[in-house]
Amino acid sequence: MEDGECIATEAPKAPVTKERKIGTDLEKYIAKPYVARALQAADVGNPDGTKGYPDNGMTVLQQHVAFFDQNNDGVVYPWETFKGIRDLGFDPFSSFVITFVINAAFSYRTLPGWVPNPLLPIYIERIHRDKHGSDSATYDTEGRFAYQILIYFNHCKHIY
C-alpha cells in the first residue's frame, strides 16, 4: 500500500492486480457508483446508460433478456432465442445448442406456476428468479445493474 491508502488495491504476489488497476475515482464520472441502477447500465463512458434506448420500465436484466423477445410479448420461447443467437452471428448448430441450454436452464423458475412447460418459455417479468449463487453479480437479486461489481476481464481501466 502506498502512503495515504486505507485499502490495498494491489497484491505483490499477483502481478495482474498491478496491471489491471482499480478505478478509485469513479464518483468523478458516475453519481453514486455504489448504487445499483434499476433502469440503466451506467459506465464511465455512459454515466446515464445508453442514450436513445427505451427502458420500457424494465430492469437492466429484463432489458437484456428482452433482446431475445422477438414479438415483444414478455415471453422468450426457444425459437426466439435461436433467432437472437443467430442475429449475434452464431452458426445454426451452435445456436441450437445455446438455445436449448439457455431455455432449459432459465425457463422453469420464471414460470407463473409449478407445472413445467415443455415449450421452455422464459418469462421476462420473473427473470430475477433465475439469479443464483455462482452469478457474476453484475445484476442484483432484483435484476438491477450493479456497476461496482461488474468485472472487465480484458484490459480494463476501471473495475470497481
Side-chain angles (χ1 to χ4, degrees):
M1 273 191 317
E2 295 180 19
D3 290 338
E5 281 188 34
C6 61
I7 299 173
T9 60
E10 297 176 10
K13 293 187 177 184
V16 70
T17 61
K18 187 170 184 148
E19 294 168 16
R20 299 179 185 171
K21 297 197 179 289
I22 292 177
T24 56
D25 61 347
L26 277 181
E27 290 193 5
K28 290 181 185 176
Y29 308 100
I30 302 173
K32 299 182 181 179
Y34 47 84
V35 176
R37 305 312 203 251
L39 303 175
Q40 64 210 22
D43 63 22
V44 173
N46 301 292
D48 297 319
T50 306
K51 298 279 188 214
Y53 185 84
D55 60 54
N56 297 322
M58 294 188 284
T59 67
V60 179
L61 179 58
Q62 288 173 324
Q63 293 173 50
H64 172 70
V65 176
F67 167 81
F68 297 96
D69 186 9
Q70 303 293 313
N71 60 0
N72 297 314
D73 65 352
V75 182
V76 180
Y77 288 96
W79 49 90
E80 294 175 298
T81 304
F82 181 83
K83 175 146 181 14
I85 297 294
R86 291 287 290 140
D87 289 347
L88 291 173
F90 286 85
D91 64 89
F93 179 75
S94 296
S95 297
F96 177 79
V97 172
I98 293 167
T99 294
F100 179 77
V101 169
I102 288 174
N103 283 75
F106 296 123
S107 174
Y108 183 71
R109 283 187 259 170
T110 67
L111 294 174
W114 292 99
V115 179
N117 186 329
L119 295 178
L120 302 175
I122 297 172
Y123 287 81
I124 296 172
E125 180 180 282
R126 295 179 200 76
I127 194 64
H128 65 279
R129 293 180 178 177
D130 274 319
K131 288 287 294 164
H132 52 85
S134 64
D135 279 342
S136 67
T138 301
Y139 304 102
D140 68 10
T141 54
E142 289 75 34
R144 295 177 293 234
F145 180 75
Y147 181 77
Q148 79 279 14
I149 302 298
L150 181 63
I151 296 174
Y152 294 101
F153 292 101
N154 295 319
H155 304 95
C156 61
K157 290 184 181 176
H158 298 283
I159 292 177
Y160 201 70

